[in-house]
Amino acid sequence: MGGCFCIPGERSLSWGPGKATPSKDPTLSSEFTSSTECRGKCFLPQNMTPDLTLSFCVKSRSKRCVNGPLQEAARRRLWALENENQDVRALFKDLSARLVSIQSQKAQFLITFKTMEEIWKFSTYLNLGYISTCLEHLLFDHKYWLNGRLVEDTEIQVTVDDKHLEAIYLGLLMQEGHFFCRAMFSVAQPDEKEGECLTLCKNELISVKITEEEAEWEGVSLVTGHRGLVPVSALEPLLLPFHQWFLKNYPGSCGLPRNEDWAESYQIGRGKCKALKSYEKKEEDELSFCRGENIEIIGFVIPGLQWFIGKSTSSGEVGFVPTRNIDPDSYSPMSRNSPFFSDEERCSLWLLGSDRKAECSSFLHMLAHTDITSVYRLSGFESIQNLPKDLSASQPEGFKEARPCGAWEEHQVVGSRQSSSSEDSSPDEELLSAASDSYHLPEPDDLDDPELFMDLNTGQEEEDAKDFAPILAFLDHEGYTDHFKSLYDFSFSFLTTSFYSFSEEDELVAYLEASRKWAKRSLMTWAHARLCFLLGRLSVRKVKLSQARVYFEEAIHILNGAFDDLPLVASLYINLAAIYLRQRLRHKNSTLLEKSGTLLACLPDREYTAKNELDVVVYVLRQGIVAGSHPLEARACFLAIRLLLKVGRHEEVLPFAERLKLLSGHHLPLDVVTNILSFLYDKKYLPHLAMASVQQRGTQSVQGMYLPIWQVYLVLQNSTKLQCVPSPSWDEVSALACPTLRQALAACEEQVDRSTQRVLCLVLSKMYLQHRSPDCAIYYLSQALALGQLLSEHEAFESSLCLAWAYLLASQPKKALDILEPLLCSLKDTESITQKGVVHNLMGLALQCEGRVNRATKSYFRALSRAQETGSIRNQAMALANLGHLTLRSWAQQPAKNYLLQATRLYFELQTSKETDMELVQVLLWLAQVLVYGRQLAGGRLCYEMALLFGLRHRHLKSQLQVTKALCHFYSSESPNPEACITYHEHWLALAQQLRDRDMEGRLLESLGQLYKNFNTARSLRKSLVCIKESLRIFIDLGERDKAAEAWLGAGRLHYLMQEDELVELYLQAAIQAALKTDESSLALKLYEEAGDVFFNGTRNRHRAVEYYRAGAVPLARRMKAVRTELRIFNKLTELQISLEGYEKALEFATLAARLSTLTGDRRQKLVAFHRLATVYYTLHMYEMAEDCYLKTLSLCPPWLQSPKEARYYAKVYYRLGHLTFYQLKDAHDATEYFLLALAAAVLLGDKELQDTIRIRLDDICQSPLWHSSPTGRSSERARWLSGGGLTL
């Protein structure tokens, strides 16, 4: 692209740390010097992807490197958002981009743009650093925002490919087909195309429309207005989207740039300068001077303007001075790109929102309000702070929709009194909105009375000269005085301050016209000029522009270059220039336009006189773009902001404010621009940007620059909009507001505003308590206590109770008692019964935490007594509930039940409210526990379900969660009911989804899957599979590989039960691969075994278990030296091979199992292994080995029988030995001995049937030929390798 233009970066903009970082592309530094050939290529079709990659990394400012833990946390959060990306889409929608995909592994987003405006806004936010701050909102949880040091030390650096962004932007320009370009060189009109082509000068601006011709497009010159064809090779698109937008939305003509090098190289100047060359004035309003002469600059000199106002130090004359004739190094430069020329101008915007300070402060006080001095607290219950139910009552009015706020009512009355009935001066148009508070007129009492008032009823019939003498004398003062201020102000206040007794405006016009004639006759120059100015203003007000133009031209002609009344001169020039521009008479006097722009831009603290001055501001800004002067462009943007705010056109301010912020970088005065941006983003419902603008301001502010209190409210308001968890009430403070609250607190400390400082400490403590961080809450409450002691007794007492409560929540009862005991002593001689009860109740809670039950009981009874004295039902209920909880923990069920029942009855007597209902939920939970312990299950269930109803009624998620957990336990353990258990688990799951607790959601889906699986029906198995797969997706998103591996396995097990065999292996292998990636061998071993168990415990494809057992689990178990696990697996392999009739393999596995059993030292494990080995030998007809193994198992049994199970085992084994010895080994005598031992065991069991069976066998042996053929009393000799203690396996 040749670096022909750059979207994100500008030469005047330095990249701040932690913000968007441009690509390291050397061509960007030469964006203004690219070759014609490269620039021509900009218009060629681009073979590019329409998507842009946005990468980020989390860095530590102090260490200047990547913050590894936070980067990983951000990546995992992004991983979780890949599938549920609604929040990401909403964020990028606010940032004027469209999300295509998320690439969490690379910490990247893929975004795209559809319009030029989208890419313009996005690049603006990128340069302002808002995107990085918005990503912090998205990627970090409350733990990050509550850690002040971490927030200050952390920055997210965002990177995009600038070249790709440029290419996308050019493609969108081409797609729109109409845009603005600059001529890179002069173009003469060819002779053969005379009349068809445009003649262009270098740097001339052209409005271009794409045609079918590749070499030439249609163009309109912004200098001459001529149309014609222009060669594409001579065109360069304007560098910035803002310029394209501005020229398209504010069309008009402009001049050619002069002294381009001077405009680009120098800064705004003031003081004195030296003439480089002599100049002879061409008009009366210009100043003549000689080379080397010193000239005093009136106002300022701005690069890009052709003139400034100067005063000759030798002659004292004042006039316009051509900028090109002075030495730019001779004046004093101001700060680079500063658009503010005075503190008054800066403060005029700084006052934005200041009229809401009282309302915002009131809101903060209500947010920090606590009822702890009058309402008891429940044991282990975080009380919900009281807030007004109708938040519109406490909402600062400046943030309501498009209504004049209460602070403006007085000004509206004044405005209606002062304004005329003309349509152009209606109160709605003349009065400013909240953003322009700095421009209202002083109250009438503050105005000095004019020298005299004009009575229009005097002399109207005769028109005697003496009747006009007062007005002529008043207006003919040479030069400017404060009495003339009302003549030039925006609201036409001179109509009521200087004239009265006219019924219609036409009557006033007639009087002024008559006065003008007398002034002209009397050669009263200044009166004549001022009367022409007033008549011109009234004509503009009636939209009689031609008539107004005549009056203004006459006034300028009369003054003949006099600058004694500079406000009058400026108003005349600027109003006349505005008419020229509106009537398209620029050709009539182009020099006047240039000089009007100079008066508008260079004079500080000038008041606007009319809305149409915006046309001149637009002209000045257009000239700044032509000249490439950033100082002039910034100044024009500031003037546009100021005027648009004054006329109430807020929707048009934002582009100018963003451009001004970009041009001025991070200079300190631009905090006021940040105020405007945050205010406007909030109005446009862009919470991410509103928050980012305030937070960016906070990171750049230094000592002496304070955060306005209304911006604290703005942050509190918008942070609730960004909460992932829906919050129906305003009683919670988002952790996103924590940095802003801390900044506001620091500002209050510097300003010694103790009241607001204490309020902010209470709000911060409330926020930390709400996020389970009592230690930080204690820190701020300690500060609140110290401040409260300096303010009043009541605030000190309230802060002490809050601090004691925080200590209780932090499980530090000793420190709580250290605060409460002195408080109780201080109340002895007072009649504050309620306060005594509050202290006794908190002391009871502290003593209960310390385990001092008797003293706690006494404190609760004292608190109950005080509540009864005052008749406070709510406090009585809480004291009884605390007593019930205390006795419940002491396992005194009946007293606990009585206290809690009494408390419940009292709560039902109260008028329902969210606070009391949430307390009742806690009491019902305690009562349910008591009833369930007493096996009164119906009553317990009723209490649980009533508590849940109260939570549902108020949509209080945390109370619902607590009750639902209890109900799930109740229906699973206390009163088993699978259907009800599933119902409440599903509600629990819905709550987890609303709370955005992904880990809880995954675990609940896992539990639900198991519950559905237990029903073992086709439908329940399908539901179980859905739950397991949902949990699998969540665990993958969270990066919890161990849980994800188990979920893969669970899904495979369900597919097996559903006979979907083609998917079983897929899921089991995925489970094992996931486990192997965790580098946790124990998990992999467990999953190998459980994967084999799926087939081992099933009825189909049981042979597949061998692969998982033998090839997977056994090697891992040996590597880990997990002998018992290896033994268990070989036992399963043996059992499996026996069932599959693979007896040879079964013998191998059984032998290995028997060997391993000897290493465990566990007799039972040996017994099982050798019994199974004996079974295999028996199955393989290796009877002598089978006999030896059976005898080995018997030798491992206790010497005496300890239970019926052991007796039955003896009977069965000896019966098997007898059968084996007689029928297979043909040893009648040994068989008889075995059967007799079996008979003895059967007798001990009392099993008659088994005894009869054994006796029959004995009779058969005695009658068999084998018994008689064997020698009497002798048995055959057989080896006893194992049972005899000889050889080992």
Side-chain angles (χ1 to χ4, degrees), residues 74 83 301 383 398 405 955 1124 1213:
N83 295 312
V301 56
S383 179
C405 58
R955 298 180 182 179
R1124 290 179 179 272
V1213 172

Side-chain angles (χ1 to χ4, degrees), residues 425-438:
S425 60
S426 63
D428 288 342
E429 292 185 357
E430 292 180 7
L431 292 177
L432 306 184
S433 67
S436 54
D437 180 33
S438 55

Side-chain angles (χ1 to χ4, degrees), residues 422-541:
S422 171
E423 62 180 3
D424 285 351
S425 60
S426 63
D428 288 342
E429 292 185 357
E430 292 180 7
L431 292 177
L432 306 184
S433 67
S436 54
D437 180 33
S438 55
Y439 295 101
H440 69 268
L441 285 173
E443 296 296 331
D445 292 341
D446 297 331
L447 286 172
D448 294 332
D449 290 333
E451 292 180 354
L452 45 90
F453 288 92
M454 308 303 162
D455 187 348
L456 302 185
N457 293 327
T458 303
Q460 287 297 299
E461 296 178 359
E462 300 177 2
E463 289 195 0
D464 192 356
K466 65 180 181 181
D467 296 329
F468 298 97
I471 186 172
L472 296 178
F474 171 62
L475 293 177
D476 199 45
H477 186 279
E478 185 175 355
Y480 174 80
T481 67
D482 290 339
H483 303 304
F484 295 143
K485 186 173 183 179
S486 63
L487 302 181
Y488 311 128
D489 65 31
F490 191 82
S491 60
F492 288 82
S493 63
F494 67 87
L495 295 177
T496 54
T497 59
S498 299
F499 303 97
Y500 63 92
S501 298
F502 62 90
S503 57
E504 294 183 359
E505 194 171 302
D506 290 341
E507 185 180 349
L508 172 63
V509 171
Y511 176 78
L512 293 175
E513 180 61 36
S515 300
R516 182 186 73 84
K517 291 178 182 178
W518 280 106
K520 186 175 182 180
R521 291 175 191 172
S522 306
L523 301 179
M524 303 175 76
T525 302
W526 289 101
H528 187 183
R530 291 188 177 105
L531 285 166
C532 286
F533 172 67
L534 293 177
L535 286 165
R537 288 198 67 189
L538 292 171
S539 299
V540 170
R541 179 168 171 157

Side-chain angles (χ1 to χ4, degrees), residues 30-47:
S30 59
E31 60 177 284
F32 290 94
T33 58
S34 355
S35 66
T36 303
E37 180 181 356
C38 292
R39 294 180 189 275
K41 293 179 182 177
C42 293
F43 299 101
L44 297 177
Q46 302 289 324
N47 296 322

Side-chain angles (χ1 to χ4, degrees), residues 517-685:
K517 291 178 182 178
W518 280 106
K520 186 175 182 180
R521 291 175 191 172
S522 306
L523 301 179
M524 303 175 76
T525 302
W526 289 101
H528 187 183
R530 291 188 177 105
L531 285 166
C532 286
F533 172 67
L534 293 177
L535 286 165
R537 288 198 67 189
L538 292 171
S539 299
V540 170
R541 179 168 171 157
K542 292 184 176 182
V543 200
K544 297 179 178 179
L545 299 183
S546 296
Q547 184 177 346
R549 172 165 52 85
V550 172
Y551 282 125
F552 291 141
E553 288 175 341
E554 181 180 343
I556 292 174
H557 176 73
I558 294 165
L559 290 177
N560 196 29
F563 281 85
D564 301 82
D565 188 348
L566 198 54
L568 173 63
V569 174
S571 298
L572 285 169
Y573 274 75
I574 294 169
N575 276 274
L576 182 58
I579 293 174
Y580 283 169
L581 291 169
R582 185 61 58 91
Q583 294 186 332
R584 299 183 180 179
L585 300 174
R586 180 177 178 273
H587 62 280
K588 186 171 183 179
N589 195 339
S590 59
T591 305
L592 184 135
L593 289 179
E594 295 286 349
K595 293 175 178 177
S596 299
T598 297
L599 289 166
L600 179 72
C602 294
L603 294 181
D605 309 330
R606 183 189 159 271
E607 285 287 344
Y608 292 109
T609 59
K611 291 184 287 185
N612 61 1
E613 289 189 21
L614 182 62
D615 294 333
V616 184
V617 174
V618 167
Y619 177 80
V620 172
L621 178 53
R622 199 178 294 118
Q623 290 302 111
I625 294 173
V626 170
S629 171
H630 287 169
L632 180 58
E633 188 179 346
R635 176 62 175 169
C637 284
F638 166 71
L639 294 172
I641 293 168
R642 196 175 170 201
L643 182 54
L644 289 170
L645 288 176
K646 190 174 186 67
V647 299
R649 291 160 63 177
H650 295 127
E651 67 281 356
E652 299 179 44
V653 174
L654 190 57
F656 297 102
E658 290 173 339
R659 180 62 181 157
L660 177 57
K661 180 72 173 173
L662 274 177
L663 286 168
S664 303
H666 303 302
H667 293 285
L668 188 60
L670 268 295
D671 276 347
V672 297
V673 182
T674 302
N675 287 356
I676 296 172
L677 287 173
S678 59
F679 180 83
L680 295 175
Y681 289 141
D682 178 66
K683 284 293 185 185
K684 292 175 71 69
Y685 201 87

Side-chain angles (χ1 to χ4, degrees), residues 236-498:
E236 172 194 38
L238 288 187
L239 307 180
L240 294 168
F242 171 80
H243 294 165
Q244 296 281 355
W245 169 85
F246 173 75
L247 293 173
K248 187 175 293 185
N249 286 273
Y250 294 89
S253 59
C254 60
L256 286 170
R258 304 169 192 169
N259 288 344
E260 185 176 350
D261 295 337
W262 198 96
E264 290 185 7
S265 305
Y266 293 94
Q267 301 174 24
I268 298 171
R270 59 184 174 183
K272 293 182 179 180
C273 61
K274 183 175 290 187
L276 277 177
K277 52 185 177 180
S278 301
Y279 179 76
E280 188 65 32
K281 64 181 180 181
K282 299 183 177 69
E283 302 285 346
E284 289 300 324
D285 57 2
E286 297 173 5
L287 182 66
S288 297
F289 51 85
C290 300
R291 179 179 179 182
E293 185 176 344
N294 287 327
I295 300 173
E296 181 183 346
I297 299 171
I298 297 177
F300 298 89
V301 56
I302 306 177
L305 288 177
Q306 307 307 313
W307 304 90
F308 70 94
I309 306 162
K311 179 179 181 181
S312 173
T313 56
S314 58
S315 65
E317 294 182 2
V318 177
F320 288 102
V321 178
T323 309
R324 63 181 180 275
N325 285 40
I326 67 166
D327 180 5
D329 294 319
S330 62
Y331 60 72
S332 302
M334 293 183 64
S335 61
R336 183 171 182 80
N337 293 329
S338 174
F340 302 113
F341 294 162
S342 71
D343 291 337
E344 184 177 338
E345 285 188 329
R346 180 163 60 249
C347 292
S348 67
L349 295 184
W350 184 257
L351 292 174
L352 173 68
S354 61
D355 59 322
R356 302 182 188 87
K357 184 175 180 180
E359 290 89 346
C360 298
S361 178
S362 175
F363 174 81
L364 282 177
H365 278 80
M366 283 183 283
L367 189 63
H369 174 68
T370 174
D371 58 7
I372 198 167
T373 58
S374 59
V375 179
Y376 294 178
R377 294 292 183 261
L378 280 179
S379 174
F381 179 74
E382 291 188 30
S383 179
I384 298 172
Q385 305 287 351
N386 292 331
L387 285 176
K389 296 301 175 189
D390 183 10
L391 286 173
S392 62
S394 63
Q395 186 177 8
E397 298 187 36
F399 291 90
K400 295 179 183 176
E401 292 298 324
R403 302 179 56 237
C405 58
W408 279 100
E409 292 175 0
E410 185 175 357
H411 298 304
Q412 286 180 326
V413 174
V414 174
S416 63
R417 184 173 67 249
Q418 294 176 347
S419 59
S420 72
S421 59
S422 171
E423 62 180 3
D424 285 351
S425 60
S426 63
D428 288 342
E429 292 185 357
E430 292 180 7
L431 292 177
L432 306 184
S433 67
S436 54
D437 180 33
S438 55
Y439 295 101
H440 69 268
L441 285 173
E443 296 296 331
D445 292 341
D446 297 331
L447 286 172
D448 294 332
D449 290 333
E451 292 180 354
L452 45 90
F453 288 92
M454 308 303 162
D455 187 348
L456 302 185
N457 293 327
T458 303
Q460 287 297 299
E461 296 178 359
E462 300 177 2
E463 289 195 0
D464 192 356
K466 65 180 181 181
D467 296 329
F468 298 97
I471 186 172
L472 296 178
F474 171 62
L475 293 177
D476 199 45
H477 186 279
E478 185 175 355
Y480 174 80
T481 67
D482 290 339
H483 303 304
F484 295 143
K485 186 173 183 179
S486 63
L487 302 181
Y488 311 128
D489 65 31
F490 191 82
S491 60
F492 288 82
S493 63
F494 67 87
L495 295 177
T496 54
T497 59
S498 299

